[in-house]
Amino acid sequence: MPSSPTVEPTHADSQLRRADGLLQVLLQLPDPRRRRGVRHRVAGIVAVALTAVLAGARSYAGIASWTADLSVEQRAQVGLTRPRAPDASTFRRVLGCLDAVVLDAVVGAFVWTRTATVDGRRVIALDGKTVRGARTTTDAGTDHAPHLVAAFDHASGTVLGQLAIAAKSNEIPTVRTVLAGFDLTDVVVSVDAMHTQTDTAATIIAGGGDYVFTVKANQPTLYAACKHLPWRDVPAHSAVQKGHGRRVRRTIKVLAAPAWITFTGAAQIAQIRRTVAQGGKTTVEVVYVITSADHRAAPPRVLAAWVQGHWGIENRVHWVRDVTFDEDRSQIRTGHGPQVMATLRNTAISLLRLAGATNIAEALRHHARQPDRPINLLLTS
């Protein structure tokens, strides 16, 4: 059966079903405000903020302007039933104090129900991104910016979850915390070399999944062992890709992991050579990969696709947030605002991908031209 992320019972009224719409899911969000003086439901505020982000809004002021331009009927469709639209200070106050962890959990669970496995397996990439525009100076005089670890579905290009790194911590334990929120049965997890850790491997295997780890010099013994395997005697599988004035040849060689390599769960080791010819120059990069998936689950071409697909989180999520949404220049810095806005951007990207969009910038312009478009996307998701 398809896997699904777990949502804490205190954070959700019931287990998500495929029939639950996103607007219905947002009703599970707890309201952080005192009851007295509340004019707009928190689900309505988040929902209309998401429609604004789907139309390209990047700030609280932009969200408020978008909302003010909607008709009373359009606002009511997303849960804002009062005649007067919330202003920028309301969005700043509510989104700044909203529980970002719960928001990520319920939205991630929703997106999971909209995605599917490929050949019976789901492949997830995890990677971190710093929200540089939200950098602030602490009492100790040091700079701090939120660093968020996201989980990305290779096949659909959607974001399945996100978690902020706690103070005085780093990406490595945060990745394991993110993974603990998913049912990893038959899931393949890809991460970069920083996370080639035995504890992370053990977490994935214990959950019923497989890992694909890049091996670099931060694991010197393992790296040396991989480098000195008899690669000359191993048959190669190659693929060539052309475009944007360059030619890329990727060659993969795969060996069963020898018994003397004791990394947790290791079943296969691969050498991947990437040769790029562009503008009369040729560069060659060789990387090593270790995986717990055996040759039946991950023959060379499948393993190569998993490795290449991992970088979709950089190209299809982080790059889009930086360039299309201009996230690194966002002036939202206080409270949970930076993480909540990052989640709204992730959700917008996911909804647009699920709707078939391949160019997010063009999709935002398309939705900005007619307010009914992002509202309908939200209501029909």
Side-chain angles (χ1 to χ4, degrees):
M1 293 180 64
S3 308
S4 62
T6 56
V7 181
E8 293 295 331
T10 55
H11 296 163
D13 296 328
S14 61
Q15 186 177 4
L16 288 180
R17 304 180 307 275
R18 178 63 177 84
D20 291 332
L22 182 53
L23 194 58
Q24 182 179 357
V25 169
L26 294 178
L27 292 174
Q28 300 175 10
L29 295 174
D31 195 330
R33 301 167 293 177
R34 296 179 179 178
R35 289 187 178 182
R36 185 175 182 180
V38 170
R39 294 182 175 86
H40 305 282
R41 296 184 69 177
V42 67
I45 290 175
V46 174
V48 79
L50 178 56
T51 66
V53 173
L54 282 165
R58 301 174 179 179
S59 65
Y60 295 140
I63 292 171
S65 295
W66 163 266
T67 304
D69 286 341
L70 298 177
S71 68
V72 173
E73 292 76 15
Q74 287 170 326
R75 291 197 295 269
Q77 285 183 280
V78 295
L80 293 179
T81 56
R82 286 182 171 268
R84 185 174 179 179
D87 57 17
S89 63
T90 300
F91 286 107
R92 181 180 297 107
R93 183 171 59 257
V94 176
L95 299 183
C97 66
L98 191 67
D99 191 324
V101 174
V102 178
L103 176 63
D104 270 311
V106 297
V107 172
F110 164 81
V111 174
W112 190 294
T113 66
R114 265 52 182 178
T115 58
T117 60
V118 177
D119 297 327
R121 308 207 74 171
R122 185 189 297 275
V123 190
I124 297 174
L126 283 92
D127 195 27
K129 180 185 183 299
T130 300
V131 185
R132 292 180 176 85
R135 189 177 301 278
T136 57
T137 302
T138 66
D139 293 338
T142 58
D143 287 340
H144 171 75
H147 192 79
L148 309 174
V149 173
F152 168 84
D153 183 80
H154 282 212
S156 63
T158 59
V159 180
L160 303 173
Q162 179 178 262
L163 190 65
I165 294 177
K168 300 182 180 180
S169 186
N170 58 61
E171 267 194 40
I172 295 172
T174 305
V175 159
R176 292 197 282 269
T177 302
V178 172
L179 291 172
F182 296 107
D183 175 1
L184 295 177
T185 305
D186 294 328
V187 169
V188 178
V189 178
S190 65
V191 292
D192 61 23
M194 177 194 304
H195 301 286
T196 304
Q197 307 285 334
T198 55
D199 287 347
T200 304
T203 297
I204 296 167
I205 292 171
D210 284 310
Y211 62 76
V212 178
F213 291 168
T214 303
V215 180
K216 290 188 177 180
N218 63 318
Q219 291 281 354
T221 302
L222 181 60
Y223 179 76
C226 292
K227 186 176 181 179
H228 291 98
L229 288 171
W231 296 112
R232 288 187 178 183
D233 303 326
V234 180
H237 302 264
S238 296
V240 176
Q241 184 179 17
K242 298 179 181 179
H244 304 288
R246 65 178 184 172
R247 181 177 185 273
V248 181
R249 176 181 289 275
R250 295 181 177 87
T251 302
I252 184 170
K253 297 181 176 183
V254 185
L255 280 172
W260 49 267
I261 290 185
T262 58
F263 190 84
T264 303
Q268 295 190 98
I269 296 174
Q271 180 198 71
I272 298 177
R273 182 182 298 270
R274 183 172 179 266
T275 305
V276 180
Q278 184 175 23
K281 296 182 179 180
T282 300
T283 59
V284 179
E285 179 187 24
V286 177
V287 298
Y288 298 95
V289 171
I290 191 166
T291 179
S292 60
D294 62 21
H295 68 281
R296 290 164 299 193
R301 295 191 187 281
V302 171
L303 185 55
W306 289 349
V307 173
Q308 186 176 358
H310 172 78
W311 300 111
I313 192 170
E314 289 285 351
N315 302 329
R316 303 175 72 189
V317 178
H318 295 169
W319 187 88
V320 173
R321 279 167 46 186
D322 278 343
V323 176
T324 304
F325 287 104
D326 205 16
E327 182 174 86
D328 280 351
R329 291 200 298 175
S330 171
Q331 297 300 300
I332 297 174
R333 297 189 176 97
T334 58
H336 297 157
Q339 183 175 351
V340 168
M341 287 300 297
T343 300
L344 293 180
R345 295 177 192 119
N346 286 340
T347 307
I349 292 168
S350 297
L351 293 181
L352 293 171
R353 297 271 187 222
L354 291 172
T358 56
N359 184 321
I360 299 300
E362 173 55 34
L364 296 181
R365 292 191 291 270
H366 172 80
H367 284 79
R369 288 194 291 270
Q370 292 187 18
D372 284 335
R373 289 173 177 171
I375 292 173
N376 290 336
L377 179 59
L378 174 64
L379 296 177
T380 58
S381 296

